[in-house]
Amino acid sequence: MSMTLNDWFAKGMTWDEYVASMSTNRERMMGIYEQVKLEREEEEFFRQGADLDWRVIVLTADWCGDAMLCLPIFRKIAEAARFEMSFLIRDENLELMDQYLTNGTSRSIPIFILIDREGRERAVWGPRAPEVQALVDEVRATLPPKDDPKFAEKQKEVYRGLKDRFCTDRRLWQFVKDDVRRKLEAAWQKQNG
């Protein structure tokens, strides 16, 4: 019998359990969480979600730089909207992950699946805001071909630089907030007809 979204939600970890399980990016992720703020107008907007009683299933992994960037920002939004969150490790939950592939092929994370109390999917966001995707594409374009002996070393260097930027570039944080807001606004308008 296949699992429902409510079953997947019940299977996941709480925020505190997920943070406690982290070993790779915990400090950096929590650094973003402690620094990122919602402006008063943003907080008022996201508070509209409180009446909906939605919940969020998050497909993630500790090693993922995009998760390090997006989880703390989405957590702040979820706090304002009173969305309960449940965290699932991607590689331990491929049956669900494979229903939410990026471009139909890639197991990119994080993926945020917003559901109502009945377990109906209401919105999906992830893995990146378009502006962050553009930055990643730009940086990847500087890499040598994959068959180049220096590729692996250069790729590690590039991703280390991206992670550093994710932790400090507040414009990227704003891009994530704005894109999640657009997604939620569209979902709320659809629900309200």
Side-chain angles (χ1 to χ4, degrees):
M1 189 171 92
S2 68
M3 290 176 62
T4 67
L5 289 174
N6 274 338
D7 295 334
W8 287 109
F9 183 87
K11 180 183 178 193
M13 294 178 271
T14 65
W15 169 258
D16 290 340
E17 290 167 340
Y18 176 69
V19 171
S21 78
M22 295 177 75
S23 58
T24 306
N25 284 318
R26 181 184 350 189
E27 287 77 20
R28 293 175 129 200
M29 186 186 83
M30 291 309 294
I32 295 170
Y33 178 76
E34 288 161 13
Q35 294 177 65
V36 73
K37 303 279 185 261
L38 297 179
E39 301 301 326
R40 178 179 293 146
E41 188 274 331
E42 291 173 325
E43 187 144 340
E44 287 170 9
F45 172 83
F46 291 120
R47 250 193 237 125
Q48 297 174 66
D51 297 336
L52 298 174
D53 205 19
W54 285 5
R55 296 168 298 150
V56 186
I57 301 166
V58 184
L59 285 160
T60 189
D62 182 13
W63 51 261
C64 176
D66 290 303
M68 178 194 75
L69 168 66
C70 298
L71 265 61
I73 297 168
F74 208 105
R75 175 70 180 172
K76 291 283 184 171
I77 291 167
E79 289 168 352
R82 295 201 179 95
F83 293 159
E84 192 180 343
M85 298 177 82
S86 177
F87 298 82
L88 295 168
I89 304 304
R90 180 192 73 179
D91 293 346
E92 297 169 11
N93 297 281
L94 295 179
E95 182 186 338
L96 180 62
M97 180 71 247
D98 288 348
Q99 296 174 48
Y100 291 93
L101 298 175
T102 300
N103 301 323
T105 58
S106 176
R107 290 177 172 161
S108 300
I109 51 174
I111 297 293
F112 299 84
I113 307 160
L114 291 96
I115 61 174
D116 62 21
R117 279 291 156 188
E118 288 73 47
R120 291 182 299 244
E121 177 189 300
R122 292 300 183 175
V124 178
W125 187 87
R128 295 183 181 117
E131 299 89 348
V132 177
Q133 182 65 53
L135 169 66
V136 170
D137 292 344
E138 183 183 309
V139 168
R140 279 187 186 151
T142 67
L143 291 172
K146 284 190 177 180
D147 58 0
D148 186 308
K150 294 181 181 164
F151 176 81
E153 179 187 323
K154 186 73 174 151
Q155 185 181 40
K156 279 183 187 165
E157 184 183 306
V158 160
Y159 286 145
R160 205 171 17 254
L162 268 176
K163 276 187 179 181
D164 289 345
R165 188 148 173 207
F166 287 173
C167 291
T168 58
D169 189 339
R170 291 171 186 260
R171 289 177 323 136
L172 298 178
W173 303 357
Q174 191 63 48
F175 293 146
V176 172
K177 287 193 291 183
D178 292 346
D179 198 50
V180 170
R181 180 179 179 150
R182 283 190 291 272
K183 178 63 79 169
L184 288 177
E185 196 164 27
W188 293 344
Q189 286 175 352
K190 186 177 176 184
Q191 177 161 323
N192 296 331

